[in-house]
Amino acid sequence: MMALAIAPLCLTACGDDGDDDDPGQKPEPTVSVKLTSQSIAEGEEVDATSTTQLALGYSATVKVATGAAVSLNGNSLTATRNPNDAKGIVIPLTLEEGQSYTLTMQAGSVVASTDATAQAPAFTLHFTTKAKPEPVNPDITATLVSGNAAAQKLYDYFVSQYGQKTISSVMANVNWNNDEANRIGRATGKYPAMNCYDFIHICYSPANWIDYSKITPVQEWVNAGGLVSLMWHFNVPKAEGATEHTCTHTETTFKTANVFNDGTWENRWFYEQMDKVVATLLKLQDAGIAATWRPFHEAAGHATYKQQANWTKSWFWWGYDGADTYKRLWRTMFDYFQQKGIKNLIWVWTTQNYNGDATKYNQDTDWYPGDQYVDIVARDLYGYNTQQNLQEFCEIQAAYPTKMVILGECGKDVNTNTSSASVPDWWAAGAHWGQFMVWYGSNMEDDTWWGKALSSPYVITRDQLPSFK
């Protein structure tokens, strides 16, 4: 009986080495967390303005550990799980041009989602940013004619990219939304950097179909990382008291010169509409949103035609009474906006140039409001080929050497069904427009045109923009 009692004790003691019961031993991880990809390579030189994050990919589904330690040149950063990749994390970056950077992440800062004991090893990355390019045109004015810090920051970005890359833009459907830009994004996988909104229907606002007092569409675009452009097809009643409106001079009795005469219906309408626009601009300004501003565009129309005829007039009312009246209109708006406290705009004037043919048209320099009222000079071209783009760009830059030159509007010429030259083609030829804006709807270039444009290394898309907050 004694032998039987001892046997179980021997079996217990001899059959167990005691290791499994050691409370100090950690279990082996169930998965392995290894780095498989990184958006910035070791030693790479990147663009400071377009590189806004570092994306890291791993061999397993991961999360950022509590107490994760990530730093860039000694400054702490916050890593988050990649919303588009369960096996990745992203680290936001704010970079300066011409700098060297070292990013470090301590071991265990990233762990497997299913097993926190499975930790990624320490990670170190060395990279540099490209030096700030020298401006292509050193005579470009550095300071805005009127602007707050937000507007100046946007303008500085335009200057920094001028001659290096072109900023892509699309004209929004005039019903105050982002539909066209979103459609391009779905079709090509990339969004234009800038969306342009038109105040053409401000005379009807507020209405159940249009309300400019609600700036939500613009805020949504900005929150998605986009830039804002604004323009105004300034509509007037077809006659005093009429409910139908137009901006074409042949369709209205509105007399441009009467805008400056107190008591006239033209004067009342002009200031009433400006006040409505001012209210929206101030809301945008209060929200920290700066924009390019392109009013009273294409003023000269056909008025610079060398052989004058009954059709050689401006097609918009704001140019119908000639260059001097037009310049007074522009300066009146500029001064009024100043009085109302608007500082968030970059003022863009649109030249007609030679209208594509210097043998038939004079320059429209007499219509230029003046350097103290204009920040950027634009040109609108539809159906123009590469060489025509180059000619126009060079002529305008020569005429206004202290201003950046942009393609204010472009697209298909619906009269000839001719598309605009592709962006890579006119850029390669030397037409270095600072920005291009394609019109929406029937004039809009097709998805193939857009795909080629937005994939060009010389075109800035929304995802490549730095933060302007």
Side-chain angles (χ1 to χ4, degrees):
M1 291 184 64
M2 184 177 293
L4 292 173
I6 295 172
L9 295 175
C10 292
L11 288 172
T12 301
C14 298
D16 187 356
D17 59 12
D19 290 345
D20 291 343
D21 293 334
D22 182 358
Q25 180 164 338
K26 297 180 180 179
E28 289 293 323
T30 57
V31 293
S32 174
V33 181
K34 297 180 179 179
L35 185 68
T36 59
S37 65
Q38 56 193 78
S39 60
I40 301 176
E42 174 65 24
E44 185 178 354
E45 183 182 62
V46 300
D47 188 332
T49 58
S50 60
T51 305
T52 58
Q53 68 177 23
L54 169 66
L56 300 177
Y58 292 90
S59 57
T61 302
V62 294
K63 62 182 180 181
V64 179
T66 302
V70 185
S71 65
L72 182 68
N73 286 4
N75 298 313
S76 296
L77 300 177
T78 301
T80 58
R81 189 172 180 178
N82 191 331
N84 301 315
D85 182 5
K87 293 185 177 182
I89 67 163
V90 290
I91 303 170
L93 302 174
T94 301
L95 306 175
E96 296 181 359
E97 294 171 310
Q99 301 294 319
S100 297
Y101 288 97
T102 299
L103 184 143
T104 60
M105 184 164 59
Q106 290 184 3
S109 294
V110 177
V111 299
S113 299
T114 57
D115 183 357
T117 65
Q119 301 179 344
F123 174 75
T124 301
L125 172 66
H126 303 90
F127 65 97
T128 59
T129 53
K130 297 176 182 177
K132 185 174 183 178
E134 292 296 323
V136 173
N137 186 345
D139 296 325
I140 297 296
T141 304
T143 305
L144 290 171
V145 294
S146 169
N148 59 13
Q152 187 66 50
K153 187 174 184 179
L154 177 58
Y155 180 77
D156 289 345
Y157 180 71
F158 264 75
V159 174
S160 72
Q161 300 304 309
Y162 192 58
Q164 311 295 324
K165 294 183 179 182
T166 180
I167 298 171
S168 58
S169 178
V170 66
M171 184 68 214
N173 181 295
V174 290
N175 288 353
W176 198 235
N177 57 53
N178 305 317
D179 293 350
E180 292 291 347
N182 290 335
R183 190 199 66 76
I184 295 167
R186 291 191 299 269
T188 67
K190 288 184 176 290
Y191 291 83
M194 177 174 276
N195 203 24
C196 182
Y197 305 88
D198 193 342
F199 281 100
I200 187 171
H201 290 142
I202 194 76
C203 55
Y204 302 108
S205 178
N208 59 2
W209 60 276
I210 187 73
D211 188 350
Y212 288 92
S213 68
K214 297 178 180 179
I215 64 171
T216 302
V218 186
Q219 288 177 308
E220 289 176 344
W221 177 257
V222 170
N223 290 339
L227 302 179
V228 176
S229 180
L230 302 169
M231 68 175 296
W232 190 5
H233 279 87
F234 195 147
N235 273 325
V236 297
K238 290 189 173 183
E240 183 176 4
T243 57
E244 293 185 342
H245 305 87
T246 183
C247 53
T248 304
H249 77 85
T250 56
E251 298 175 350
T252 179
T253 61
F254 187 95
K255 301 299 182 185
T256 308
N258 283 345
V259 164
F260 311 111
N261 298 329
D262 293 340
T264 63
W265 72 273
E266 292 93 342
N267 175 270
R268 289 193 301 271
W269 181 263
F270 184 75
Y271 282 94
E272 286 172 0
Q273 297 307 300
M274 281 211 297
D275 283 339
K276 294 175 77 170
V277 170
V278 162
T280 298
L281 293 177
L282 288 175
K283 281 191 173 184
L284 294 174
Q285 182 167 290
D286 290 343
I289 299 173
T292 59
W293 171 242
R294 196 168 69 97
F296 300 137
H297 63 295
E298 303 174 6
H302 290 306
T304 59
Y305 194 74
K306 292 180 178 180
Q307 299 295 323
Q308 286 292 297
N310 59 2
W311 60 270
T312 56
K313 304 290 183 182
S314 170
W315 43 74
F316 293 125
W317 66 262
W318 49 82
Y320 188 66
D321 281 351
D324 290 340
T325 300
Y326 169 74
K327 287 184 289 188
R328 188 178 177 187
L329 272 177
W330 181 283
R331 295 166 185 172
T332 298
M333 175 181 283
F334 184 93
D335 292 340
Y336 192 70
F337 280 15
Q338 291 282 91
Q339 295 168 17
K340 294 296 182 178
I342 293 174
K343 299 286 187 179
N344 61 330
L345 301 180
I346 299 170
W347 289 74
V348 182
W349 177 70
T350 309
T351 175
Q352 280 302 107
N353 202 29
Y354 294 123
N355 208 32
D357 191 344
T359 63
K360 294 181 180 179
Y361 288 85
N362 293 310
Q363 265 281 23
D364 64 345
T365 50
D366 287 345
W367 298 71
Y368 182 57
D371 284 350
Q372 67 272 40
Y373 299 98
V374 174
D375 295 305
I376 295 175
V377 176
R379 178 72 166 104
D380 297 350
L381 302 176
Y382 285 89
Y384 273 46
N385 62 33
T386 296
Q387 286 306 120
Q388 289 172 318
N389 269 268
L390 179 60
Q391 176 189 352
E392 295 277 344
F393 175 81
C394 293
E395 288 172 351
I396 298 169
Q397 186 66 96
Y400 306 97
T402 65
K403 305 296 179 181
M404 286 182 287
V405 177
I406 67 171
L407 198 51
E409 295 177 21
C410 64
K412 182 178 292 185
D413 184 333
V414 293
N415 296 313
T416 63
N417 200 34
T418 303
S419 292
S420 294
S422 72
V423 177
D425 287 348
W426 54 248
W427 184 271
H432 291 173
W433 304 103
Q435 174 212 328
F436 67 93
M437 196 273 283
V438 182
W439 202 259
Y440 77 98
S442 61
N443 288 341
M444 192 171 175
E445 302 298 353
D446 60 25
D447 294 339
T448 301
W449 188 97
W450 268 113
K452 190 174 181 180
L454 298 183
S455 62
S456 169
Y458 300 107
V459 173
I460 298 170
T461 53
R462 193 177 72 181
D463 60 297
Q464 297 171 329
L465 293 170
S467 172
F468 289 87
K469 296 182 179 179

